[in-house]
Amino acid sequence: MEATPLDERKQQILKAVVADYTVTGVPVGSQVLAAKYFIALSSATIRNELADLVGTGYLQQPHTSAGRVPTDRGYRYFVDFLMEPEAASPTVRRTVKQAFETAPHSVEGILELSLIHI
């Protein structure tokens, strides 16, 4: 399924829904979005944008009175177009570096290691 182009406001709303939902695990409503991210927009305007994002398949509404949650398509759009890269922390960098330094360098070594962990 091809990505439907989104205007700037819809992109920002989708980004906010993904950010809030991935932290809280709770469907995100228009009042939360208006209070936390879009003070200049009314909750009615945000509701209309959310409805459009549901209509294009980027969000879903678990039930009538719930907020919205990202769909697989919404997450994919977020990752492909909206996500900003983050630098890995020094701890993560060290861990990855150590894993590569101690990893086997041959196919046979990788197979042996995989058999040990079965």
Side-chain angles (χ1 to χ4, degrees):
M1 185 181 275
E2 208 171 298
T4 304
L6 298 178
D7 63 43
E8 183 68 24
R9 183 160 61 188
K10 284 183 181 62
Q11 286 183 8
Q12 293 307 310
I13 289 173
L14 177 61
K15 188 175 183 179
V17 171
V18 170
D20 204 77
Y21 183 71
T22 55
V23 169
T24 66
V26 176
V28 184
S30 58
Q31 290 180 334
V32 169
L33 291 171
K36 284 173 96 172
Y37 304 100
F38 304 103
I39 296 169
L41 297 177
S42 72
S43 57
T45 298
I46 295 170
R47 264 193 307 280
N48 288 335
E49 297 289 6
L50 290 171
D52 288 346
L53 289 166
V54 168
T56 53
Y58 292 112
L59 299 176
Q60 64 183 2
Q61 191 173 15
H63 53 83
T64 307
S65 62
R68 284 17 174 243
V69 299
T71 61
D72 289 343
R73 187 174 190 207
Y75 282 121
R76 179 84 267 155
Y77 190 94
F78 175 81
V79 168
D80 289 346
F81 303 109
L82 305 175
M83 192 168 134
E84 297 170 17
E86 295 179 22
S89 71
T91 304
V92 169
R93 287 179 179 271
R94 256 190 321 277
T95 303
V96 170
K97 184 178 179 185
Q98 288 171 349
F100 277 108
E101 288 173 350
T102 60
H105 298 322
S106 67
V107 174
E108 291 81 18
I110 293 170
L111 290 173
E112 278 182 37
L113 188 60
S114 68
L115 290 175
I116 294 170
H117 294 291
I118 291 181

